[in-house]
Amino acid sequence: MTQRIVVDPVTRIEGHLRVECDVGDGKVTKAWASGTMWRGIELILQGKDPRDAWVFAQRICGVCTTVHAITSVRAVENALKMEIPLNAQYIRNLIQGAHNVHDHIVHFYHLSALDFVDITSALKADPAATAKLAQSLSDWSLNTTGEFATAQKKLQAFINSGQLGIFGSGYWGHPAMKLSHEANLMAATHYLQALDVQRKMNKVVAILGSKTPHIQNMAVGGVTNPINLDSQSTLTLEKLTYIKTLIDEVGDFITKVYIPDVAAIGAFYADWTKIGRGIVNYLSIPDMPLDTKGTKFALPAGFIENGDIVKGFTPIKDFHDPYFEKGVKESVKHSWYQGGKGALHPYDGETIPNYSDWQDDGKYSFIKSPTFYDKRAQVGPLANVLGLYASGHQRTQFWVNAVLDSVSGLVGSKIGVDALHSTIGRHAARAVRCVVLHEELSNQWTLLMENIGRGDTMTFNKPVFPKEEVRGFGFHEAPRGMLSHWVVIDKGKIKNYQAVVPTTWNAGPRDEDDRISAYEAALIDTPVAVADQPLEIIRTLHSFDPCLACAVHLTDTENSSTYQVKVV
Ligand code: NFE
Ligand code: MG
């Protein structure tokens, strides 16, 4: 018997995601992912001054708040063929690095760990045994009996209050929850500690960007932070030193808590290295530019076909690479937009909403379907880590091997790179990316200090707009994957603007050739033990860290689902 399971809304994500699955013999056989809201920011941008675009574009999202600002100015700068002062590149790199590190910690602990960690079981743990388990995994200074006992009391007080809040409506006691009481208490305690740690990274974003969420210091041509270390300017020596202190303070948590926790969950749930494979064409781009022209990068990347990081890898070179520029298209055949012209390149992209009802074989989402050279692709930390690995980035190779060795040691058999093409693999890759970015943050801070030390205080080049039409693209490796903005500028005003965001790649509906997306593909064969508690479906979806922009809400009033569930 086949049952239709509808999960709407999927929670602990940004925005509004609906997923429908057909389940037969305890496994998902067909899947549909749908973005049920539309905002139209791409249309709002038409006719605007390109220098203002980043302020509007940044409001696409309240989670990846910096990324649309940075990508937008890069697109306009690309159209104008601008060079960007080194200080501005480094300051942008510091902002994006800190934002991504913050985002990955929040995603693992606060948005997805509870898919694997049972809070109610943590209450039954022995704090001393928990300390013993935690100390066997890492020498983190807070893995003590006292810390675990205090955290357990906090959780108990929370539950006694009757107001479960962030821990309400979880799938506690679900048969797919496998951790011991002690492992659950360890992870729940780290959940609480992570709340404090992520704040430190966000402080870095706020100091450099003037506030967060939504930074204020971007400009087409650079950044607006004056540098004058002797005065009360935005970037004083005191502030720069404080930024380095914050970066240093977070390092231990990433290497001694986040990485070991991901490895432990990977080992305890080793069967999840075989679930959630999905699309294994991976797209990611180079980021953290090291020169004014955007031709040298700290973090290389590219396109990987069919999961083959050796023969299937094509590097994407820089901010001007025509191989990237020509490869992207978006289809609206299955999306609630007017179409009929086939998949369009973003410079020619159209966004004309045209809502109809849900149609399994027709239109069922406000998300478009992007392709790269007519192939579907997965983006995100896994794509980025594989791209870095394939490019020979040594610190990435080191950390991938360290995590795989650690999981192999815990399960007692060799776990190879292949295990990364999975639900757990996306979590492991995100942790690797987090530590790699954290290391790079220190490098970028040193580069900035050395450059200022040479007497260079430039942060801005003035943009000049030609009368004739120009076009450009900007990309950025955001927390959820490769983000690109595409702009056509005519007489100094925006004629067309398209944002192709990470979640568009992963969560889109079927494409022009009716091929399923990364979310849909990853859900196929996912086991479902209890139909009205689809924890396993949520696990695979959360492993992508979904983000669907919010605002215009449309509801399906006539759904014919077997089970409609809300989960946290
Ligand atoms: Ni709104 Fe985002 C990131 C972007 S994802 S969270 O990361 O761009 O679709
Ligand atoms: Mg778009």
Side-chain angles (χ1 to χ4, degrees):
M1 190 187 80
T2 300
Q3 284 177 316
R4 176 66 65 97
I5 292 180
V6 179
V7 187
D8 182 13
V10 177
T11 57
R12 284 192 194 252
I13 66 166
E14 149 77 19
H16 300 260
L17 171 66
R18 174 189 180 97
V19 165
E20 301 208 4
C21 292
D22 280 350
V23 176
D25 290 332
K27 283 191 171 174
V28 173
T29 55
K30 280 187 176 176
W32 294 261
S34 170
T36 56
M37 285 193 168
W38 183 69
R39 302 175 69 197
I41 286 189
E42 288 157 333
L43 296 187
I44 291 171
L45 284 165
Q46 288 176 9
K48 295 249 179 320
D49 187 321
R51 292 172 297 184
D52 294 342
W54 68 272
V55 182
F56 292 90
Q58 190 172 211
R59 268 70 192 174
I60 286 175
C61 185
V63 173
C64 57
T65 66
T66 64
V67 309
H68 294 284
I70 290 172
T71 312
S72 179
V73 293
R74 283 181 179 171
V76 178
E77 289 158 0
N78 181 265
L80 301 181
K81 299 191 169 49
M82 289 188 74
E83 287 193 38
I84 306 307
L86 273 182
N87 288 326
Q89 299 288 42
Y90 299 144
I91 289 170
R92 290 178 184 180
N93 293 349
L94 281 166
I95 288 177
Q96 63 168 270
H99 172 63
N100 275 259
V101 168
H102 146 84
D103 195 300
H104 288 346
I105 292 171
V106 169
H107 175 261
F108 181 66
Y109 284 100
H110 309 125
L111 303 182
S112 61
L114 300 186
D115 298 347
F116 298 94
V117 174
D118 189 331
I119 291 290
T120 54
S121 153
L123 297 176
K124 300 181 193 128
D126 168 11
T130 307
K132 207 167 158 207
L133 166 72
Q135 286 162 13
S136 77
L137 298 170
S138 141
D139 62 355
W140 167 241
S141 60
L142 296 181
N143 279 342
T144 60
T145 304
E147 267 297 313
F148 291 122
T150 307
Q152 195 180 39
K153 275 197 206 112
K154 245 188 221 171
L155 290 172
Q156 189 64 62
F158 211 60
I159 285 164
N160 290 347
S161 76
Q163 293 183 330
L164 287 177
I166 49 172
F167 298 129
S169 315
Y171 287 148
W172 317 133
H174 191 283
M177 291 286 195
K178 293 275 165 61
L179 297 187
S180 65
H181 298 326
E182 282 69 32
N184 280 317
L185 179 57
M186 177 184 77
T189 305
H190 293 163
Y191 179 115
L192 298 174
Q193 292 167 354
L195 286 169
D196 197 35
V197 174
Q198 57 84 27
R199 190 167 48 88
K200 293 186 180 178
M201 282 291 92
N202 229 344
K203 268 191 181 176
V204 174
V205 178
I207 293 167
L208 291 168
S210 300
K211 76 174 185 63
T212 186
H214 297 132
I215 50 175
Q216 302 283 30
N217 69 321
M218 262 327 107
V220 169
V223 294
T224 57
N225 311 73
I227 297 176
N228 180 350
L229 300 184
D230 301 327
S231 81
Q232 290 304 309
S233 69
T234 312
L235 280 185
T236 57
L237 192 55
E238 189 186 354
K239 279 184 192 157
L240 285 162
T241 309
Y242 184 47
I243 284 170
K244 184 65 167 63
T245 307
L246 289 167
I247 293 170
D248 290 345
E249 280 176 7
V250 169
D252 263 8
F253 184 85
I254 298 170
T255 55
K256 296 186 178 186
V257 183
Y258 185 8
I259 293 268
D261 280 354
V262 164
I265 286 191
F268 285 126
Y269 288 96
D271 47 336
W272 281 82
T273 60
K274 300 193 176 67
I275 298 168
R277 182 176 166 87
I279 306 278
V280 293
N281 299 324
Y282 295 99
L283 182 60
S284 80
I285 48 83
D287 213 329
M288 298 222 186
L290 300 172
D291 63 353
T292 58
K293 291 196 165 89
T295 58
K296 291 198 195 95
F297 294 84
L299 303 168
F303 183 51
I304 296 167
E305 272 191 76
N306 206 21
D308 186 337
I309 57 174
V310 182
K311 289 195 210 101
F313 179 60
T314 311
I316 292 171
K317 286 195 228 52
D318 57 30
F319 281 170
H320 318 278
D321 194 342
Y323 167 65
F324 175 81
E325 186 176 21
K326 290 188 182 134
V328 179
K329 278 187 186 166
E330 289 189 302
S331 161
V332 296
K333 183 174 169 188
H334 293 278
S335 316
W336 289 312
Y337 299 100
Q338 279 180 33
K341 297 181 181 171
L344 296 177
H345 189 276
Y347 289 140
D348 308 313
E350 294 181 352
T351 312
I352 309 165
N354 186 20
Y355 179 70
S356 62
D357 222 340
W358 178 287
Q359 301 151 352
D360 277 359
D361 297 319
K363 290 176 182 278
Y364 60 91
S365 179
F366 275 115
I367 307 176
K368 298 178 182 178
S369 275
T371 48
F372 194 60
Y373 289 99
D374 297 322
K375 297 188 175 72
R376 300 230 66 163
Q378 178 180 160
V379 302
L382 175 56
N384 193 211
V385 161
L386 292 172
L388 284 156
Y389 198 102
S391 307
H393 188 260
Q394 289 186 352
R395 295 307 294 166
T396 303
Q397 293 179 342
F398 170 85
W399 282 110
V400 166
N401 295 335
V403 169
L404 292 174
D405 286 351
S406 171
V407 179
S408 304
L410 289 167
V411 297
S413 66
K414 178 82 189 143
I415 304 281
V417 175
D418 254 10
L420 292 175
H421 307 290
S422 66
T423 295
I424 279 290
R426 278 184 282 276
H427 285 294
R430 191 174 289 108
V432 167
R433 182 167 189 266
C434 188
V435 66
V436 166
L437 286 177
H438 182 264
E439 290 177 350
E440 192 50 47
L441 267 177
S442 293
N443 294 341
Q444 294 296 322
W445 184 86
T446 305
L447 289 170
L448 176 63
M449 295 305 284
E450 285 174 356
N451 195 54
I452 297 171
R454 281 191 286 269
D456 179 1
T457 53
M458 258 182 73
T459 54
F460 175 70
N461 287 332
K462 195 168 187 273
V464 179
F465 290 88
K467 289 216 176 64
E468 68 271 17
E469 184 180 300
V470 288
R471 41 185 59 192
F473 68 97
F475 57 51
H476 165 47
E477 196 63 39
R480 283 149 207 83
M482 194 278 297
L483 166 68
S484 58
H485 284 202
W486 308 75
V487 65
V488 181
I489 301 168
D490 191 27
K491 299 182 192 69
K493 295 273 185 263
I494 295 174
K495 188 171 163 193
N496 197 8
Y497 200 102
Q498 296 288 330
V500 187
V501 307
T503 300
T504 316
W505 287 92
N506 287 338
R510 283 143 176 81
D511 70 359
E512 202 66 20
D513 296 327
D514 305 325
R515 295 170 304 186
I516 55 180
S517 64
Y519 280 17
E520 294 171 339
L523 286 169
I524 304 294
D525 286 338
T526 295
V528 180
V530 189
D532 62 351
Q533 294 184 2
L535 173 62
E536 302 91 334
I537 291 175
I538 301 307
R539 273 184 188 165
T540 290
L541 291 172
H542 278 172
S543 71
F544 287 96
D545 192 1
C547 169
L548 297 103
C550 25
V552 184
H553 198 172
L554 306 172
T555 51
D556 171 6
T557 53
E558 292 173 43
N559 81 73
S560 51
S561 58
T562 312
Y563 292 106
Q564 177 139 7
V565 284
K566 275 190 181 183
V567 290
V568 294

